Amino acid sequence: MKAIKRFLQIEDVYKDAAKKLVPTLAERDDFEAEFQYKLPCPSCGDETASGLFYRMLNQDDWYAVSETMKCSVCRDKEAFNVYQRKSLEELRASIGERLTKEYFLLPEDLKDAGFKNFEKTNDVTSKAKENAMTYTKMFLAGDHYNLLIMGNPGTGKSHLCAAIGRTIKGKKDKGSTVGFLTTGKLLSMYKTTYRKGAAKSEEDIFRDIKGIDLLF
Ligand SMILES: [Zn+2]
C-alpha cells in the first residue's frame, strides 16, 4: 500500500484561513494569501503589527483578511489592563462583601421589613413610603444623595430604612455596599476596640464606615 503524504504548505494554510474569514473567497482558488509584517499598529502606530492579506491573481491590491492585529506591546498592555481591572473588581467585590457582612446589622424585628409590608396609616406615611421608593430607584440608577427621615416614634422610619437597605443590598449586580447600624450597635462596636488584642481599632471602623456606599 502506498502511503499518500500531503505536505501542507504555509501558503495553503494562509489561503485556508482567508477562505474561512472572507465569505467571497470560500469557493475560489484564484487568489494568493500572505502574512504581512511591519504594518502600522492600529493602536500605537509603530510599524510592528502584522496581519493576513489576500490578493486576487493578476491584480495589484492586497486586502486585509481581518483587522490588522495590534502590535505585541499593545496586546500585552491590553491584557494587563484587563487583568488589572479584573483584580480590582474582585478586590472591590470582596471588600464590599466584608463591609456588608460586618455592618449590615438589621435589628431582629426588621429582618423582613420591605415596601410591601409597610403599613401606611395616613397620607404622611404613604408619602414617606413613596419617597423612600423613589430614593431606592434613584440610588440604584446611580444618583446618590442623602435622605433624612423624621417623625414620631413608631411611625415606620426604621421600617422604611430597612426596606431601602434590603432592596439595594439585594441588587448584587449593582455592587453597592450597604450598612445598617443602630447607635447602640455602633457604640458597642467601638467599645470592643478598647479590649486588649482587639481585631479592629477605632480608626479601622471609621475607615470601614466611610467606605460604605449607603449607611443607615
Ligand atoms: Zn501598538
Side-chain angles (χ1 to χ4, degrees):
M1 219 168 70
K2 240 199 280 178
I4 302 170
K5 267 191 192 164
R6 179 162 184 256
F7 291 100
L8 212 55
Q9 300 286 321
I10 190 72
E11 288 78 18
D12 292 335
V13 177
Y14 291 155
K15 278 184 83 167
D16 265 4
K19 282 181 181 209
K20 286 199 179 87
L21 291 163
V22 183
T24 52
L25 296 177
E27 304 293 325
R28 309 179 65 146
D29 218 23
D30 54 342
F31 71 94
E32 53 183 330
E34 68 173 28
F35 217 76
Q36 295 183 6
Y37 300 90
K38 293 191 176 171
L39 303 168
C41 163
S43 185
C44 70
D46 279 1
E47 294 188 339
T48 47
S50 52
L52 186 58
F53 284 73
Y54 74 92
R55 158 167 92 172
M56 303 315 291
L57 292 185
N58 304 319
Q59 298 217 343
D60 293 330
D61 296 331
W62 287 95
Y63 297 98
V65 162
S66 56
E67 276 176 54
T68 314
M69 270 195 266
K70 287 172 188 166
C71 75
S72 57
V73 176
C74 285
R75 273 184 282 148
D76 284 353
K77 247 189 232 165
E78 258 169 39
F80 181 71
N81 286 345
V82 169
Y83 167 77
Q84 224 181 8
R85 199 169 51 236
K86 267 201 182 150
S87 33
L88 211 67
E89 272 166 20
E90 270 166 29
L91 185 69
R92 206 173 288 141
S94 77
I95 291 176
E97 236 168 71
R98 176 182 71 79
L99 290 178
T100 304
K101 209 156 122 198
E102 291 179 23
Y103 296 93
F104 192 80
L105 305 170
L106 273 185
E108 203 49 47
D109 58 327
L110 292 174
K111 285 257 165 12
D112 300 313
F115 291 119
K116 280 196 187 120
N117 56 14
F118 178 74
E119 280 171 37
K120 307 163 275 187
T121 46
N122 55 44
D123 288 353
V124 180
T125 49
S126 81
K127 184 82 193 148
K129 179 185 172 179
E130 224 173 84
N131 284 337
M133 288 173 84
T134 306
Y135 180 85
T136 308
K137 216 193 285 169
M138 299 295 275
F139 190 95
L140 288 171
D143 192 359
H144 299 179
Y145 54 94
N146 292 322
L147 181 71
L148 178 66
I149 307 178
M150 292 191 295
N152 291 329
T155 46
K157 300 183 296 294
S158 303
H159 186 117
L160 283 181
C161 287
I164 298 169
R166 289 180 64 232
T167 307
I168 291 170
K169 183 173 161 277
K171 300 265 196 268
K172 283 220 165 67
D173 53 315
K174 300 278 179 188
S176 297
T177 49
V178 190
F180 197 107
L181 295 169
T182 59
T183 319
K185 268 266 166 40
L186 184 60
L187 287 179
S188 65
M189 223 178 240
Y190 273 124
K191 237 163 77 183
T192 58
T193 65
Y194 301 146
R195 258 189 238 145
K196 216 178 159 194
K200 267 187 207 286
S201 67
E202 278 177 271
E203 288 77 33
D204 289 335
I205 294 178
F206 190 62
R207 196 180 329 110
D208 277 354
I209 286 177
K210 276 213 305 196
I212 294 173
D213 298 314
L214 178 61
L215 179 68
F216 294 93

